[in-house]
Amino acid sequence: MSYFYPKPLRYQSLYGISQLTLTEHYKIYLGYVERTNEIRSLLLSADRAKANATYSPYRELKLEETYSLNGIKLHELYFENLTPMGEGEPEQELLLYLGRSFGSWEKWREDFTALGMSARGWAIMALDLDEKIRNFLQDAHNLGEITRSLPLLVLDVYEHAYFLDYMTDRKGYIEAFFRNIHWGVVNRRFRQALAACNACYPFSTP
Ligand code: FE
């Protein structure tokens, strides 16, 4: 069986996000790694013969596996798409996709900010492999994602991500998030998603 190993955090602080917040946030991520490994270990011996949709240990383990595993993946995406003071800018084709999907870069940013203000867990910009770029929110790690969508930019809006620094000023945290985006990482994810996308319109060839 394969176990997960935590990825190190590449920075100690970010613009507007303190070392204390990041240290505590990273501990939460480590918890998801530990729980996922524990769940996978328990699944080895879970009784498949007693599986049912009302209650069974197998069902509960499979359910929490999605919560815990997505807790790992979403945090890794979030930490990776940030760097102190940000880096780079969105590549041209990504801007074209955002324009096609939202009307303009400004409208995408306005929508993503509203998304961050509305979500109870995660705000995600993703390439929907069946059409275009979508912004969608998840109220829990395993609640709200769109099937066949690949995340490009992930924002954690659980209170643990900002409350020590911003208290109830979530908007201030989202503004700091924008300042820290590593666009090189987002561009790379976009390229990888495009390669997997059959239905996406090839904007680069008029
Ligand atoms: Fe978090």
Side-chain angles (χ1 to χ4, degrees), residues 25 28 32 75 78 122 141 156 158 160-161:
H25 203 166
I28 289 171
Y32 291 122
H75 278 102
Y78 168 75
W122 299 94
H141 308 329
D156 190 336
Y158 281 99
H160 63 240

Side-chain angles (χ1 to χ4, degrees), residues 130-203:
D130 296 309
E131 197 182 357
K132 60 181 184 178
I133 291 178
R134 296 186 189 281
N135 286 341
F136 62 87
L137 61 82
Q138 294 185 217
D139 280 345
H141 308 329
N142 55 353
L143 185 66
E145 66 192 307
I146 295 173
T147 299
R148 280 175 50 77
S149 289
L150 296 180
L152 306 177
L153 178 67
V154 172
L155 164 62
D156 190 336
V157 290
Y158 281 99
E159 286 172 354
H160 63 240
Y162 66 89
F163 213 80
L164 283 171
D165 297 326
Y166 291 90
M167 306 298 280
T168 57
D169 179 20
R170 191 194 286 201
K171 194 88 171 273
Y173 161 67
I174 293 172
E175 284 166 10
F177 172 84
F178 272 106
R179 290 281 298 270
N180 289 301
I181 293 175
H182 194 320
W183 285 105
V185 168
V186 178
N187 291 338
R188 192 197 72 226
R189 291 177 189 163
F190 177 62
R191 282 282 135 208
Q192 291 170 339
L194 271 187
C197 188
N198 293 322
C200 297
Y201 186 80
F203 289 107

